[in-house]
Amino acid sequence: MATLTPEATELEEPEEHGAEGGGLWSWITTVDHKRIGLMYGGTAMLFFLIGGIEALFIRLQLAVPDATVLTEAQYNQLFTMHGTTMVFLVIMPLAAAFGNYLLPLMIGARDVAFPRMNAMSFWVFLFGGIFLSSSFFLGGFPDGGWFGYAPLSTQSEMIRMDFWALGLLILGIASLAGAINFTTTIFTMRAPGMSMFKMPVFVWMQLVVAFLLLFSLPVITVALFEVLFDRNFGTLFFDPAAGGDPILYQHLFWLFGHPEVYILILPSMGIVSEVLPVFSRKPLFGYQFVVFAGAAIALLGFGVWSHHMFTSGLGPVAESAFSLTTMFIAVPTGIKIFNWIGTTWGGKISLKTPMLFSLGFIAMFTIGGLSGVTHAVVPADTQQTDTYYVVAHFHYVLFGGAMFGIFAGIYYWWPKISGRYLSEPLGKWHFWLMLIGFNLTFAPQHWLGLQGMARRTAVYPPDIGLETLNMVSTIGAFTIAVSMLPFLYAMLVNSRTGAPAPADAWDGRTLEWSISSPPPHHNFHDVPTVEAIDDFWHQKYGEDDEGRAVRVKTFPEPSRYTDKYIHLPSPSYYPIMLAGGLVLMAYGFIFAPLGIPLFVIGALILFGGAFGWAQEDPDHPMGDHDDHHAEPDDGSEPDETAEEAAGDEVEDPTAALADGVVADGGDDA
Amino acid sequence: MRLIPLALLILLVASACSDNLPRSTLNPVGENAETIDNLFRLTLAIAAVFFVGVNAAVLYVAIRYRARKGDDREPKQIHGNDTLEITWTVIPALILAAIAVPTVQTVFELAEEPADALQVEVIGHQWWWEYRYPELGVVTANEMWIPTDQPVFLSMTTDDEDVIHSFWIPNLNGKRDVVPGRVNTLTISAPEPGVYLGQCAEFCGLSHARMRMTVHAAEPADFDAWVTDQLAPGNVDEDSEGWGLFLDKGCSACHAIGGTEAAGGGLNPGPDLTHVGSRTTFAGGSYQLTTENLKAWLRNPSELKAMEPDANRGMPNLGLTEDEIDTLVAFLQDLK
Amino acid sequence: MSTETAVHGPVGTDGADIRKTAMWAFLGSECLFFGSFIATFLLYSDETNGGPGTELFDIPFTSVSSFVLLMSSLTMVLAHNAYEREDGRQMRIWLMATALLGTVFLGGQVFEFTTFYAEGLRMDISPFGSAFFVLTGFHGAHVAIGVIMLTSMVIMSRRGNLHAHRGMNVELVGLYWHFVDIVWIVIFTVVYLLQV
């Protein structure tokens, strides 16, 4: 994935992104959703490797009882950062990467609704991730667990948990801005004719995720502010001695935390819902049901949070109520699984790597879902929660589920992104090694948990039956690490030397396959008009009397270039400036009072960025990079319809308000 | 290849059942633990049906419908089937409802306080457990004794300055969080005498992993004998060298010895040592109480168990000489 | 390029203003933000930890400042009307009036905070104090941001930078401003009126 870093791509494929040109500066100032998507993905993959290395250290420590590979202090830091990294710096941004790259392509738009705000989201995410990780060099990683329960998170005098709380607040800004952007994009930028129920399921799932983010992020924001203020300003939100209640923190955290689970898994459900039909050569079974099930999961997801607190002492009435809602959420989840199987049933299945990962997703996610049902049974949960049984459960959901779906998506869309196929043999090695390694690692953890192994324990005693399975689990973890090698090799090498992929690389169904691989800078020469779900497929195929697909039309290979003049949003350096200022402020806050000058400098940069942004005319940017024509301009007339659809120069009030600091967001004239 | 997880599961179940598992939820002893285990097995059996069904379907599809060379017919384009949709919505919902009924019943059942229970107050500390028997006047640490003929009702909390812990003896019942500012309750019972192990189950900071506990379930007569022993004052010779060191080195600032001038009135932050010599473990239940271990402990407690004495969480290194250590260890082991 | 500027609204496929969609999404999110702080306050409304509690509230005073903030919603509506009539001068006057009323409200809040601190109700005295100051403080910060946005718009309009196709700003800031007012009505009811 290293080729995704700006420098690498720019050096190797200067023509890759059309007239926007190469050079580091062009990546820093880019507002192109495709480039932003790639940067999201590349950064998240780097964090995936970091989080994976953290996991390997954890598994090394746990390979044998009473091990001393790590000290308790180091172990606590590593599992805290492993969880925080994988959730906030890997899976969420990977979903954002897919959303960024694909949403406009799949709905027939030239960009997202707010390109500059989109760039800001990425830079805030990147700097926020660096900020959080830099704690390692500045006193140690946070060590309070990824959900930072008070009062443990407010107890320590160390600055680590300040890094954690502030880091998550910063990342929350990126996610909130992204959610606003995606919501608006999906609601307002769809190609003519694409009604809501003609959208691809992936787009639906991104919309549901955006809504989940909109309504859950503010809740954790409040929880984090309260922790931060307790730690730094002497407030007493979670101080039992003064009457504060630690359980309040748990309610706030999980009122975010459970929707968060669906934020992590729904994008992959969307990916799988795109991949399965293509490789079965059948439409998605029960499209409306899959969509409604996704929405139902999201809605119910706000009513189940207390099942994370079944041992907190809620009382039997609340426990029963949350038990029922939690069980009920299994119904729409089941509907999805059955519809996916229905999609493949009777199809003509091609077991290419994306399909393998998608089928793997169904199998592994089902296991995670079923162990989830056992958690809904409150009495059983009191034995399982905070043990390795839960660790196994959420890894089946988030690794076997979310990550398998993401890998399916990478293998599926990489030909579109790079114009080259990834190697099938390498992909199959990757899949099978990962599937075996994954099950070796996490299946035994169910039993470890049931045998009394509590999670988050740096050491466990010998002679209580935990040795063998822990060793198996560690071997599995290293198998997963090995499985990443063919993947990384394929990404690094095949992206340049792989078999060239045509525009319609898999005989696809959705709009992105109708344009060249890689896509033109402006996505669509002409904004398409949509008549049906899977419109592109239905242009290619009809049905005979038996209902079998029949090819009716073949499109010529589309060009990346057009002789039309297509206006695109201009690059801007204000987003990165704003993000940089924000993170400087965070460092300043952490190291107050010494850091106050840094805080002030950061605030000035942020203010300047916001002010410049507000003043910047997206149509007439700074003279030195006004190259906002998509393609060589032969002087033909501007394509006005296209420009309207691009809706590009829109900006700031929301961006400015989203971070709650910027003062002059309103005036974007 | 896809059968690997299944094969693995069978292997694991087999291996899990064979061992002696003093901390296993699958080996319930107490009545509540048994109720939970039965409910879990019921749920697991139903889940297993779905597990096998879905995975078999995936496997079947991948084999049966795989594209074959020479077959250039396209599949039928089936967009959905409402009857199927309703079926696979209603049936799982009914099955879940069937699980929900015993679940809710059990939740209320487990929340009841038994009428004739022995009362024990559990206080979680970073990183050890304190037990108080208000009816009996006994105070002890890390190792709880209970009679086999009586359920035990635990009222659990922590100091205000402490953090959340979770009390968990898998053989005897599910876990229950121990939250500062609240009192949570849990009923355990052990009809068979034996030693049952536990582990703090809510991450509570640095030495969470070494915050363990032991429950000794004893026949009523043995339990009464234990209580009688515990109520006796500490076995202290006030002229002994060990006692002198205990006072001089500041041990009594944190540790109480009942019936002496170091009785402490229960305000001390460390475990009560009145009968420490009668226990089998120490240091949050994570080390066997042997002469060698005790000596190593006194040489540098944080070496054996990570602690934060500077923040008043755990025992500092007292900088004792080997002679002092020998004397103190002998003194402690005499506190039967 | 000149032809574009005329049609160049920030509009989506169907011609609707996409910034309004975004603003609604943002405000929806804000509801949960204030909702969580209000929930925190309700939980802690009696947790005074031996310090002062709701008896310090001066309902007549806060009623007056609440009234001032409510009136600012009216002036905001008038500003928007003036904008629709393309009456720049009137618009600036009403925007200024709105900003001024907002500032008066903030002044009232500063006075109230100062009084409470003098009487011993502090952020670090009790969970009640923490919840009260953090909730009302975050609301005050929202008002302050609104005032700055209003002022900026007045300045831009004077410079002639509020072009017709960007006039939607007045509506957007108006949305935000009305939202902040509505939140205050909820806070005033729940935190002040229902607690005394």
Side-chain angles (χ1 to χ4, degrees), chain B residues 7-8 32 56 82 94 175 178 240 253 259 325 332-333 336:
Chain B
L8 208 69
N32 289 347
D82 289 352
L94 290 177
K175 58 186 76 67
V178 180
S240 71
I325 289 172
L332 290 171
Q333 289 189 305
K336 299 269 186 196

PDB file of all heavy atoms in Angstrom, chain B residues 7-8 32 56 82 94 175 178 240 253 259 325 332-333 336:
ATOM      1  N   ALA B   7     -13.579 -27.996  12.187  1.00  0.00           N
ATOM      2  CA  ALA B   7     -12.723 -29.029  12.750  1.00  0.00           C
ATOM      3  C   ALA B   7     -12.035 -28.502  13.996  1.00  0.00           C
ATOM      4  O   ALA B   7     -11.919 -29.179  15.030  1.00  0.00           O
ATOM      5  CB  ALA B   7     -11.689 -29.463  11.713  1.00  0.00           C
ATOM      6  N   LEU B   8     -11.602 -27.253  13.881  1.00  0.00           N
ATOM      7  CA  LEU B   8     -10.904 -26.616  14.996  1.00  0.00           C
ATOM      8  C   LEU B   8     -11.826 -26.523  16.201  1.00  0.00           C
ATOM      9  O   LEU B   8     -11.431 -26.813  17.330  1.00  0.00           O
ATOM     10  CB  LEU B   8     -10.481 -25.221  14.551  1.00  0.00           C
ATOM     11  CG  LEU B   8      -9.248 -24.650  15.216  1.00  0.00           C
ATOM     12  CD1 LEU B   8      -8.028 -25.406  14.762  1.00  0.00           C
ATOM     13  CD2 LEU B   8      -9.123 -23.182  14.890  1.00  0.00           C
ATOM     14  N   ASN B  32     -26.077 -20.658  40.891  1.00  0.00           N
ATOM     15  CA  ASN B  32     -26.223 -19.608  39.887  1.00  0.00           C
ATOM     16  C   ASN B  32     -25.375 -19.895  38.659  1.00  0.00           C
ATOM     17  O   ASN B  32     -25.801 -19.689  37.526  1.00  0.00           O
ATOM     18  CB  ASN B  32     -25.841 -18.247  40.480  1.00  0.00           C
ATOM     19  CG  ASN B  32     -26.875 -17.772  41.481  1.00  0.00           C
ATOM     20  OD1 ASN B  32     -27.965 -18.334  41.556  1.00  0.00           O
ATOM     21  ND2 ASN B  32     -26.529 -16.751  42.237  1.00  0.00           N
ATOM     22  N   ALA B  56     -22.522 -24.117   5.773  1.00  0.00           N
ATOM     23  CA  ALA B  56     -22.772 -25.168   4.786  1.00  0.00           C
ATOM     24  C   ALA B  56     -23.311 -24.547   3.502  1.00  0.00           C
ATOM     25  O   ALA B  56     -22.918 -24.943   2.393  1.00  0.00           O
ATOM     26  CB  ALA B  56     -23.762 -26.189   5.345  1.00  0.00           C
ATOM     27  N   ASP B  82     -40.426 -12.489  -1.840  1.00  0.00           N
ATOM     28  CA  ASP B  82     -41.015 -11.950  -0.615  1.00  0.00           C
ATOM     29  C   ASP B  82     -41.326 -13.033   0.415  1.00  0.00           C
ATOM     30  O   ASP B  82     -41.164 -12.829   1.613  1.00  0.00           O
ATOM     31  CB  ASP B  82     -42.285 -11.153  -0.940  1.00  0.00           C
ATOM     32  CG  ASP B  82     -41.950  -9.845  -1.642  1.00  0.00           C
ATOM     33  OD1 ASP B  82     -40.744  -9.530  -1.710  1.00  0.00           O
ATOM     34  OD2 ASP B  82     -42.860  -9.151  -2.114  1.00  0.00           O
ATOM     35  N   LEU B  94     -38.836 -15.559  16.038  1.00  0.00           N
ATOM     36  CA  LEU B  94     -39.503 -16.480  16.959  1.00  0.00           C
ATOM     37  C   LEU B  94     -38.476 -17.223  17.816  1.00  0.00           C
ATOM     38  O   LEU B  94     -38.647 -17.387  19.028  1.00  0.00           O
ATOM     39  CB  LEU B  94     -40.365 -17.477  16.177  1.00  0.00           C
ATOM     40  CG  LEU B  94     -41.612 -16.872  15.519  1.00  0.00           C
ATOM     41  CD1 LEU B  94     -42.340 -17.927  14.711  1.00  0.00           C
ATOM     42  CD2 LEU B  94     -42.529 -16.277  16.581  1.00  0.00           C
ATOM     43  N   LYS B 175     -19.825 -12.417  36.618  1.00  0.00           N
ATOM     44  CA  LYS B 175     -19.108 -11.331  37.280  1.00  0.00           C
ATOM     45  C   LYS B 175     -20.028 -10.161  37.570  1.00  0.00           C
ATOM     46  O   LYS B 175     -21.118 -10.028  37.004  1.00  0.00           O
ATOM     47  CB  LYS B 175     -17.923 -10.878  36.431  1.00  0.00           C
ATOM     48  CG  LYS B 175     -18.291 -10.411  35.044  1.00  0.00           C
ATOM     49  CD  LYS B 175     -17.066 -10.115  34.214  1.00  0.00           C
ATOM     50  CE  LYS B 175     -16.352 -11.349  33.707  1.00  0.00           C
ATOM     51  NZ  LYS B 175     -17.111 -12.151  32.712  1.00  0.00           N
ATOM     52  N   VAL B 178     -17.532  -3.680  40.417  1.00  0.00           N
ATOM     53  CA  VAL B 178     -17.387  -3.080  41.737  1.00  0.00           C
ATOM     54  C   VAL B 178     -17.051  -1.612  41.477  1.00  0.00           C
ATOM     55  O   VAL B 178     -15.972  -1.300  40.991  1.00  0.00           O
ATOM     56  CB  VAL B 178     -16.261  -3.783  42.515  1.00  0.00           C
ATOM     57  CG1 VAL B 178     -16.098  -3.172  43.884  1.00  0.00           C
ATOM     58  CG2 VAL B 178     -16.568  -5.274  42.623  1.00  0.00           C
ATOM     59  N   SER B 240       9.431  -9.454  70.378  1.00  0.00           N
ATOM     60  CA  SER B 240      10.224 -10.087  69.314  1.00  0.00           C
ATOM     61  C   SER B 240      10.833  -9.042  68.384  1.00  0.00           C
ATOM     62  O   SER B 240      10.363  -7.910  68.268  1.00  0.00           O
ATOM     63  CB  SER B 240       9.347 -11.043  68.509  1.00  0.00           C
ATOM     64  OG  SER B 240       8.438 -10.278  67.740  1.00  0.00           O
ATOM     65  N   ALA B 253       1.842   1.316  59.188  1.00  0.00           N
ATOM     66  CA  ALA B 253       1.135   2.465  58.608  1.00  0.00           C
ATOM     67  C   ALA B 253       0.085   2.006  57.600  1.00  0.00           C
ATOM     68  O   ALA B 253      -0.919   2.675  57.371  1.00  0.00           O
ATOM     69  CB  ALA B 253       2.124   3.411  57.932  1.00  0.00           C
ATOM     70  N   GLY B 259      -5.759  -6.961  67.407  1.00  0.00           N
ATOM     71  CA  GLY B 259      -5.444  -7.246  68.796  1.00  0.00           C
ATOM     72  C   GLY B 259      -4.109  -6.689  69.235  1.00  0.00           C
ATOM     73  O   GLY B 259      -3.641  -6.976  70.335  1.00  0.00           O
ATOM     74  N   ILE B 325      14.847  -8.998  56.293  1.00  0.00           N
ATOM     75  CA  ILE B 325      13.854  -9.725  55.499  1.00  0.00           C
ATOM     76  C   ILE B 325      13.562 -11.078  56.125  1.00  0.00           C
ATOM     77  O   ILE B 325      12.405 -11.464  56.316  1.00  0.00           O
ATOM     78  CB  ILE B 325      14.359  -9.878  54.039  1.00  0.00           C
ATOM     79  CG1 ILE B 325      14.311  -8.508  53.341  1.00  0.00           C
ATOM     80  CG2 ILE B 325      13.515 -10.896  53.270  1.00  0.00           C
ATOM     81  CD1 ILE B 325      14.955  -8.485  51.986  1.00  0.00           C
ATOM     82  N   LEU B 332       5.912 -12.860  59.809  1.00  0.00           N
ATOM     83  CA  LEU B 332       4.654 -12.891  59.058  1.00  0.00           C
ATOM     84  C   LEU B 332       4.096 -14.313  58.993  1.00  0.00           C
ATOM     85  O   LEU B 332       2.891 -14.524  59.117  1.00  0.00           O
ATOM     86  CB  LEU B 332       4.872 -12.351  57.644  1.00  0.00           C
ATOM     87  CG  LEU B 332       5.141 -10.844  57.540  1.00  0.00           C
ATOM     88  CD1 LEU B 332       5.555 -10.464  56.126  1.00  0.00           C
ATOM     89  CD2 LEU B 332       3.918 -10.041  57.961  1.00  0.00           C
ATOM     90  N   GLN B 333       4.993 -15.263  58.807  1.00  0.00           N
ATOM     91  CA  GLN B 333       4.506 -16.637  58.660  1.00  0.00           C
ATOM     92  C   GLN B 333       3.974 -17.181  59.975  1.00  0.00           C
ATOM     93  O   GLN B 333       3.190 -18.128  59.983  1.00  0.00           O
ATOM     94  CB  GLN B 333       5.609 -17.534  58.104  1.00  0.00           C
ATOM     95  CG  GLN B 333       5.875 -17.215  56.634  1.00  0.00           C
ATOM     96  CD  GLN B 333       6.787 -18.220  55.987  1.00  0.00           C
ATOM     97  OE1 GLN B 333       7.894 -18.449  56.495  1.00  0.00           O
ATOM     98  NE2 GLN B 333       6.359 -18.802  54.884  1.00  0.00           N
ATOM     99  N   LYS B 336      -0.502 -16.909  62.162  1.00  0.00           N
ATOM    100  CA  LYS B 336      -1.439 -17.910  61.636  1.00  0.00           C
ATOM    101  C   LYS B 336      -2.871 -17.528  61.991  1.00  0.00           C
ATOM    102  O   LYS B 336      -3.122 -16.911  62.988  1.00  0.00           O
ATOM    103  CB  LYS B 336      -1.095 -19.285  62.210  1.00  0.00           C
ATOM    104  CG  LYS B 336       0.298 -19.730  61.827  1.00  0.00           C
ATOM    105  CD  LYS B 336       0.290 -20.536  60.543  1.00  0.00           C
ATOM    106  CE  LYS B 336       1.683 -21.097  60.262  1.00  0.00           C
ATOM    107  NZ  LYS B 336       1.871 -21.559  58.912  1.00  0.00           N
TER     108      LYS B 336
END
